[in-house]
Amino acid sequence: MIELPVGVVPNSATVTLVDFGGVMRPPLGGPIQRVNRLGNRFRVALGLPPLRNLDVGRVVVARLLRAKTEGLRVRYPLVGITPGSPGLPKVMGADQAGSSLTINGCRPGYGVSEGYPLSIETDGQHYLHFAAGPSVANGDGEMDLALTPMLRTSPADNAAIHIARPMVEGLVTGDEWAWEYSLSKMVGISFEIEEAA
């Protein structure tokens, strides 16, 4: 799994939910129904600030070329959010599924607000989720965390939960990928990553 060089942080992001569910519309009228299917995930278009080609721009280009086939892990931008000190949150108990997760290892009293991004690291792979409601860790550092979308895989007991530094991981998408050089020897880079699982 490819990662960007230290200090290279996106300055723009467009997040898209890839939804595998759908709406059933009866051909002769009547109420419509929502059919939910497991597997909803995210596609994130990221832009980087202009990078000096001599120092780091060429390295970023080389890594993104490799990421087309090997995959990419990028820090999810926390725009206007200060995570504080969550502790070392992890999954509390195996075989969890659905849209809630019992976790422990949090700093007692630590709170997660609705809409806060987090990633669950299972077998070395990050899965991006958002808090579906507010939650606060009890005195033992445990909390029941409501999630959206639903879990795509059942995380192992003690799997890491990344709240202070959530990650998005997947493949750089598109049949073509381009970058732009300027006369000031800077390189402009934008790319799109879609969670593969």
Side-chain angles (χ1 to χ4, degrees), residues 45-100:
L46 297 167
L48 300 177
L51 302 170
R52 282 177 37 109
N53 191 51
L54 177 65
D55 300 332
V56 72
R58 62 186 170 74
V59 175
V60 171
V61 167
R63 291 192 186 180
L64 289 172
L65 289 170
R66 289 175 52 207
K68 287 286 290 177
T69 56
E70 298 177 41
L72 179 69
R73 181 181 299 137
V74 180
R75 186 174 179 178
Y76 185 85
L78 298 178
V79 179
I81 298 172
T82 304
S85 299
L88 295 171
K90 56 186 185 279
V91 174
M92 185 176 164
D95 300 324
Q96 297 189 55
S99 31
S100 67

Side-chain angles (χ1 to χ4, degrees), residues 64-168:
L64 289 172
L65 289 170
R66 289 175 52 207
K68 287 286 290 177
T69 56
E70 298 177 41
L72 179 69
R73 181 181 299 137
V74 180
R75 186 174 179 178
Y76 185 85
L78 298 178
V79 179
I81 298 172
T82 304
S85 299
L88 295 171
K90 56 186 185 279
V91 174
M92 185 176 164
D95 300 324
Q96 297 189 55
S99 31
S100 67
L101 191 61
T102 302
I103 67 175
N104 62 5
C106 298
R107 182 176 52 79
Y110 182 80
V112 174
S113 299
E114 182 177 3
Y116 195 90
L118 57 106
S119 62
I120 303 166
E121 186 178 359
T122 301
D123 297 326
Q125 177 157 347
H126 289 256
Y127 296 84
L128 182 64
H129 291 275
F130 290 84
S135 298
V136 177
N138 65 19
D140 294 327
E142 301 171 359
M143 82 167 68
D144 291 322
L145 187 60
L147 297 174
T148 186
M150 288 191 287
L151 292 167
R152 300 188 291 281
T153 185
S154 181
D157 185 33
N158 293 320
I161 311 285
H162 298 270
I163 295 175
R165 189 180 168 154
M167 307 294 274
V168 58

